Amino acid sequence: MSPSPESAVSGLAAARAGDTAALGRLLESYRSYLLLLARIQIGRRLQSKADPADVVQDTFLDAHRQFPAFRGETADALAAWLRRVLAGQLAHLVRRYFGTEARDVRLEQSIEQELDSSSQSIARGLSHPGTSPSESAARREDLARLGDALERLTPDYRDVILLRQLEGLPFAEVARRMGRTEDAVQKLWVRGLVALRRALDGSP
């Protein structure tokens, strides 16, 4: 679960005071959120030929190193900063995968914009128009819950939901990506949505 705005602020204060355990707990609370974004980006750019969990772990290591330079004071500011750190890790992965080790700031900026767009799109799908600040906080928690629930699904269910629901790909492209027939993918998608609803409800 992502932290509430109040707990994020207190966690930031403790981390800035030198409490490394508080910083670790604060970063850990964003794991599912970052995993969700990493899965979408890796699926788009690398056809899922990388482990999102490894990328997020590297993001946390980099965030620990860079934390003294972070000046934000809110949960939203921290989420935005972590997306930027994640973008740097993803850009490095893309360069390595395609054999171009030279740093490309434009690539990092492009990935960061895509991460921001993915985060906003998912959040909009979890909310209603005209949300209040308290509803926005609940929406952030819902996004983290979605990430947690997706992590509990089987890989096939998770992949079909990411490709169809979160990337908005047509069934034909989802079938191509997953190496299945279009009919099989449609049936898998329906079962996956049922499993996701159960996971979100906490059902076994």
Side-chain angles (χ1 to χ4, degrees), residues 28-88:
E28 184 65 30
S29 67
Y30 284 86
R31 182 179 293 276
S32 294
Y33 169 66
L34 295 176
L35 271 171
L36 179 55
L37 296 179
R39 286 187 190 283
I40 294 171
Q41 193 64 214
I42 288 171
R44 282 179 187 162
R45 291 182 177 266
L46 300 175
Q47 300 292 288
S48 300
K49 295 177 181 177
D51 187 347
D54 289 342
V55 176
V56 171
Q57 192 60 39
D58 288 341
T59 298
F60 285 161
L61 292 173
D62 205 13
H64 269 278
R65 289 191 294 268
Q66 295 187 40
F67 184 73
F70 175 62
R71 294 291 177 263
E73 301 289 345
T74 66
D76 283 342
L78 181 59
W81 180 70
L82 287 172
R83 288 196 300 271
R84 193 172 309 123
V85 178
L86 175 61

Side-chain angles (χ1 to χ4, degrees), residues 39 41 58 72 86 131 134 137 149 152 156 164 173 178-179:
R39 286 187 190 283
Q41 193 64 214
D58 288 341
L86 175 61
T131 54
S134 61
R152 294 197 295 273
D156 283 345
R164 177 62 180 168
E173 177 61 16
M178 297 187 70

Side-chain angles (χ1 to χ4, degrees), residues 183-199:
D183 180 63
V185 160
Q186 290 183 14
K187 291 176 180 177
L188 184 68
W189 173 66
V190 171
R191 294 197 300 271
L193 289 178
V194 171
L196 178 61
R197 290 191 193 100
R198 287 176 177 166

Side-chain angles (χ1 to χ4, degrees), residues 36-37 40 117-126 143 146 166:
L36 179 55
L37 296 179
I40 294 171
S117 177
S118 293
S119 181
Q120 291 167 11
S121 295
I122 298 167
R124 280 196 299 270
L126 294 169
L143 197 150
L146 176 61
L166 303 185

